[in-house]
Amino acid sequence: MSRTRVLTAAAVSASTIAALLALPAAQATVSNDVVVNEVYGGGGNSGATLKNDFIELRNDGTAPVSLASWSVQYISAAPGAATTWQVSNLSGSIAPGKTYLIAEAAGTGGTADLPTPDATGAINLSGTAGTVALVTSQTALSCKTAADCAADSSIKDLVGYGTAVIHEGSADAPAASNSTSVARNASGTDTDQNGTDFTAGDPTPTPGGSGPGGGTQPGPLRIHDIQGAGWVSPVNGQAVTNVPGIVTALRTSGSKGFWIQDPTPDANPATSEALFVYTGSAPTVAVGDSVLVSGKAQAYYPLASGDTVATTSNLSVTEIGSPTVTEVSSGNALPAPIVLSAANVPATYAPNLGGANIESTPVVPTRSVLDFYRSIQGMRVEVDDARVVGPSDTYGEQYVTVKPNEAATYRGGSELLGENQTPSGRLEVVPADGSNPHVNVGDVFTGATVGPLDYSQYGGFLIAASTLGTVQNNHLAPVVAAPDPAKDLSVATYNVENLAPSDPAAKFQRLGAGIVTNLATPDIVSVEEVQDNSGATDDGTVAADQTLTKLTAAIAAAGGPHYAWREIDPANDQDGGQPGGNIRTVFLYNPARVKFVDSGPANADRTATGTQVVSKHGDPALTLSPGRIDPTDPVWTASRKPLVGEFEFRGKDVFVIADHFVAKLGDQSQDGRFQYPAQSSAIQRAGQAQVEHDFVQNLLDVDKKADVVVLGDLNDYQFSPAVNSLRTGTSDGTGPSILTDLIGTLPINEQYTYDYEGVSEVLDHILVSKGIKDLSYQVVHVNSEYSDQASDHDPQVVRFKV
């Protein structure tokens, strides 16, 4: 449309002014591509056949036109001061010679649905008179006269019908009715004279795809253009039109949608050829469909509770959201998968960027696993004969290795051998159909496991497996500890994972059997994560006698001794863990074998008052037993305080310290964008270790040969600053060692107590003073490698002569 030129009276003659006054109210430039082709406002009205109003566009040009930021808008025939334009946003594109159908509001009548529309709005058009505009923005128009609308450069085309005040040319298009629309004449000519360009007749809604060319023209961008050579899409937040691809897999639960892949890749190894299309509801496409997808390109960041896009350490997934999908053909062959193996997956899991955001660097597929997987994000991949290194969880998620010889444990896992040395072959597998294969470490998915490469909402890359290899069960046997010689003292540690009285009886039975059969009934057991009597109900309860009664009864029922216990109730909600659970460490002991040395006043405040080391006849003793180590020190804020007890075995004293250091919650992800990840919790653990080291030193200062056992869930690795501080008093481990961490005495391929997301690692420890020499030590693997677990930790036990 043209804009009316404004002339001053001084610049024109009287005859010129008279000629101008004789012109129509609005002059326009004819459109040579997209125009309004048909308008119908009688949908659902009395006497109507169609249920909905509609607006139809047509591209009379020779090239596709993107409608991604356009809209159609409607205003009544005689708008008043308060009347506003109603807007229906468009997406996608319109090919040459193609129509584009917009379904609008439905009435209560009619018997026929519209053909499948290209866009849907909610405008209730008048059945007889009104104005429809095609607008190159999605902002509501403000013009109320033909002249003002003619001056608005965002209006691509406009049709006033019936008695509309706003129209193109000297007259409106004819009036419509409940049974008739106004449609552009068959010649398709746009003269910007509504009165001559349109004719009233039967409604003929024509959906996209039915015109010349079939509506199958790809848009200007391919998938690799949208993915780009960086970590975040270069068109993030922008509309994209008619992106071509083959549907390779569907996701019908959770975040619903489907993957598409371009079978004709570019030459850049950093740009992925596939992406996810987020539909939000069950996808209607089928695997093998060739489609054109229009919508909004977006970088989706999976967020944990409390996270934001700014704070999350997760990487993003490139998606197209709010999609419009056009099927071009069906039954197409899928692109061949990329076979992942030691030959093409880099040896380094993540680059050391000094904690910086990897998104500020280019994607270099040979630099690290994270780079490589970002470069093929969404594409079909395959792993063959994949060994399981992380067991199935309750959601059917498990981990395999694509490098069977890398850091292998003696039972088939994949081991963490140093800080920030995540095994590079580790990869999550999730069946796309939602099934759970219930595999254990060491089992194998024989044959091919195939699916698109995705990124987990909890962090880390995964195969959304549309084809899962056949499970080969390797029957991993639980470890059984050697029997306890009568002259030896046995001390064990076992994290029982939020044990509460309300837990199923089966959990208590399995824990009892594990302590009796697999741990061979240790004389002393440090038990971590014992909850109070009301479990996770935050009602002020702190006592745990009901929990411990059920646990000790289960041990006795399994054929074990009648264990006694010692513990100190924490202050309510002050020791971390599951809110309301008040987890604590507890000593279980066999009174037929060992004596617990109770010391200190019966009414002492053992929760807030720390025990002290004193000399008693030249031997170390405790002012409070059981007692806590310096419980008011800030290093124990929102964390468990170490429980100290003095035991007597065969007339000799043994000091045992039960630990559960602060967890790694809040640390950045090993699979995330900040590399190497910050471990904010490590500072507090190192402080806890230092306080405890000094306490142990106090015991040894009284008797350098004192028998001291430090054990429990330290929530850190054998090479960590915290464990170094506990052993030596220095975070780098260069100080004189007063404790030996027994996990380090095992062969390297046996040094693990926990399996975290497919990585076998150490969280639980037993450390002993130098006076304890004649010993045997075992990690008893009964939980972490199995899909059916009584706890997520494996216990361990040491036996020694006192």
Side-chain angles (χ1 to χ4, degrees):
M1 299 178 64
S2 64
R3 290 182 290 277
T4 303
R5 181 179 297 174
V6 179
L7 302 176
T8 64
V12 294
S13 66
S15 61
T16 303
I17 294 173
L20 287 170
L21 292 175
L23 289 174
Q27 292 294 314
T29 300
V30 298
S31 298
N32 56 14
D33 46 31
V34 183
V35 294
V36 176
N37 194 55
E38 187 172 2
V39 175
Y40 175 62
N45 293 349
S46 175
T49 299
L50 294 171
K51 298 177 182 179
N52 290 73
D53 300 343
F54 70 84
I55 300 167
E56 183 183 283
L57 311 179
R58 189 172 69 197
N59 183 359
D60 290 330
T62 59
V65 176
S66 173
L67 305 178
S69 61
W70 291 23
S71 63
V72 289
Q73 303 190 24
Y74 170 80
I75 199 166
S76 58
T83 308
T84 58
W85 287 83
Q86 300 176 59
V87 180
S88 292
N89 292 337
L90 307 181
S91 63
S93 67
I94 182 168
K98 281 288 298 155
T99 56
Y100 184 102
L101 182 63
I102 305 110
E104 297 293 357
T108 57
T111 57
D113 293 323
L114 291 174
T116 303
D118 300 288
T120 301
I123 299 174
N124 189 1
L125 282 71
S126 167
T128 56
T131 301
V132 169
L134 174 62
V135 185
T136 58
S137 80
Q138 295 179 346
T139 302
L141 298 170
S142 59
C143 56
K144 299 287 183 69
T145 67
D148 287 344
C149 289
D152 191 329
S153 61
S154 70
I155 298 178
K156 175 73 172 175
D157 192 21
L158 183 145
V159 177
Y161 61 100
T163 58
V165 170
I166 304 171
H167 54 82
E168 285 184 347
S170 58
D172 288 289
S177 71
N178 291 347
S179 58
T180 60
S181 67
V182 291
R184 194 171 292 274
N185 295 331
S187 64
T189 303
D190 176 30
T191 66
D192 279 348
Q193 292 288 335
N194 289 164
T196 57
D197 288 347
F198 285 84
T199 303
D202 292 337
T204 57
T206 308
S210 61
T216 59
Q217 296 297 319
L221 298 179
R222 310 290 284 205
I223 292 173
H224 49 249
D225 300 317
I226 298 170
Q227 287 280 17
W231 295 85
V232 178
S233 169
V235 292
N236 182 34
Q238 300 179 27
V240 294
T241 303
N242 277 14
V243 180
I246 305 294
V247 177
T248 60
L250 311 181
R251 183 192 287 151
T252 57
S253 62
S255 179
K256 297 181 178 68
F258 58 93
W259 285 269
I260 58 172
Q261 184 167 335
D262 194 328
T264 55
D266 67 357
N268 189 344
T271 58
S272 172
E273 301 296 338
L275 51 70
F276 185 68
V277 179
Y278 173 67
T279 58
S281 57
T284 57
V285 295
V287 171
D289 285 352
S290 174
V291 295
L292 299 175
V293 181
S294 301
K296 181 180 179 180
Q298 55 196 32
Y300 169 70
Y301 287 91
L303 300 179
S305 177
D307 267 359
T308 65
V309 170
T311 62
T312 184
S313 61
N314 283 339
L315 293 166
S316 67
V317 176
T318 303
E319 299 181 345
I320 296 178
S322 304
T324 300
V325 182
T326 301
E327 181 183 341
V328 178
S329 61
S330 61
N332 296 278
L334 303 186
I338 298 169
V339 179
L340 304 177
S341 69
N344 59 0
V345 176
T348 300
Y349 189 77
N352 184 2
L353 304 176
N357 190 342
I358 200 171
E359 292 175 345
S360 65
T361 72
V363 172
V364 183
T366 57
R367 176 175 62 169
S368 74
V369 172
L370 294 183
D371 287 88
F372 176 60
Y373 285 163
R374 176 61 183 85
S375 74
I376 58 173
Q377 183 189 89
M379 296 178 68
R380 297 184 77 228
V381 298
E382 175 181 335
V383 292
D384 297 327
D385 297 330
R387 189 180 77 243
V388 175
V389 295
S392 304
D393 63 15
T394 56
Y395 304 101
E397 302 165 344
Q398 46 274 309
Y399 289 81
V400 301
T401 181
V402 302
K403 299 181 178 183
N405 298 319
E406 179 192 38
T409 72
Y410 78 113
R411 288 164 60 83
S414 193
E415 195 170 354
L416 184 70
L417 299 177
E419 196 73 63
N420 296 306
Q421 293 183 24
T422 301
S424 59
R426 153 190 172 270
L427 182 62
E428 186 176 354
V429 171
V430 181
D433 62 4
S435 62
N436 190 329
H438 297 289
V439 290
N440 302 323
V441 167
D443 292 346
V444 176
F445 289 114
T446 61
T449 294
V450 184
L453 190 71
D454 199 13
Y455 190 81
S456 166
Q457 70 178 99
Y458 302 107
F461 286 94
L462 63 87
I463 301 177
S466 48
T467 300
L468 192 66
T470 302
V471 174
Q472 174 183 297
N473 187 335
N474 284 341
H475 305 287
L476 187 68
V479 172
V480 176
D484 186 13
K487 62 183 179 180
D488 286 358
L489 176 70
S490 55
V491 185
T493 176
Y494 199 164
N495 183 316
V496 293
E497 193 182 8
N498 289 317
L499 185 65
S502 58
D503 283 340
K507 178 172 182 176
F508 283 93
Q509 291 165 1
R510 290 188 60 186
L511 291 172
I515 289 172
V516 173
T517 301
N518 300 91
L519 281 173
T521 60
D523 299 315
I524 303 169
V525 185
S526 165
V527 185
E528 299 89 48
E529 290 199 22
V530 173
Q531 291 197 347
D532 63 37
N533 293 335
S534 64
T537 302
D538 197 357
D539 58 1
T541 300
V542 294
D545 55 296
Q546 295 176 26
T547 314
L548 293 167
T549 296
K550 290 189 71 171
L551 177 58
T552 54
I555 296 170
H562 292 276
Y563 280 96
W565 71 76
R566 292 291 188 274
E567 57 98 16
I568 297 172
D569 292 338
N572 189 46
D573 289 338
Q574 296 302 304
D575 281 15
Q578 190 174 20
N582 289 311
I583 56 174
R584 82 287 309 276
T585 55
V586 176
F587 290 129
L588 302 183
Y589 66 97
N590 181 359
R593 294 266 299 164
V594 296
K595 174 186 175 183
F596 190 88
V597 180
D598 290 291
S599 59
N603 62 350
D605 180 6
R606 297 172 190 259
T607 299
T609 303
T611 187
Q612 303 295 321
V613 176
V614 295
S615 177
K616 187 175 181 180
H617 307 299
D619 294 322
L622 303 174
T623 57
L624 295 174
S625 174
R628 287 175 143 194
I629 296 177
D630 204 0
T632 60
D633 191 300
V635 297
W636 307 114
T637 300
S639 178
R640 282 67 54 191
K641 287 70 176 170
L643 180 69
V644 187
E646 182 179 351
F647 293 85
E648 185 180 302
F649 178 72
R650 299 172 69 89
K652 303 294 185 180
D653 289 333
V654 178
F655 297 90
V656 182
I657 303 175
D659 287 307
H660 188 185
F661 282 4
V662 72
K664 291 178 175 287
L665 299 175
D667 290 0
Q668 291 176 343
S669 170
Q670 63 185 333
D671 307 302
R673 51 182 174 169
F674 301 106
Q675 293 297 339
Y676 290 147
Q679 299 183 44
S680 57
S681 65
I683 297 173
Q684 185 175 357
R685 279 192 301 278
Q688 293 175 340
Q690 187 65 55
V691 170
E692 188 161 316
H693 168 274
D694 294 346
F695 184 88
V696 173
Q697 186 65 65
N698 290 340
L699 288 167
L700 299 177
D701 286 343
V702 178
D703 179 3
K704 65 180 180 181
K705 294 184 178 181
D707 291 336
V708 182
V709 180
V710 176
L711 75 174
D713 179 0
L714 300 184
N715 268 315
D716 224 331
Y717 313 127
Q718 66 272 38
F719 39 74
S720 66
V723 174
N724 285 337
S725 293
L726 182 57
R727 291 189 305 105
T728 70
T730 58
S731 61
D732 61 0
T734 58
S737 179
I738 64 172
L739 294 168
T740 299
D741 187 10
L742 296 182
I743 197 76
T745 67
L746 297 178
I748 287 179
N749 66 349
E750 297 181 23
Q751 293 183 18
Y752 64 97
T753 70
Y754 192 80
D755 192 312
Y756 179 68
E757 295 184 346
V759 180
S760 295
E761 58 193 39
V762 178
L763 292 184
D764 311 86
H765 299 254
I766 297 180
L767 301 94
V768 297
S769 59
K770 290 185 176 294
I772 299 175
K773 297 187 181 200
D774 188 5
L775 60 82
S776 64
Y777 166 73
Q778 283 182 280
V779 177
V780 179
H781 299 293
V782 293
N783 289 317
S784 69
E785 298 170 314
Y786 297 90
S787 61
D788 182 18
Q789 304 176 344
S791 168
D792 51 351
H793 292 250
D794 285 328
Q796 52 192 291
V797 61
V798 62
R799 294 174 173 80
F800 58 94
K801 292 179 176 59
V802 177

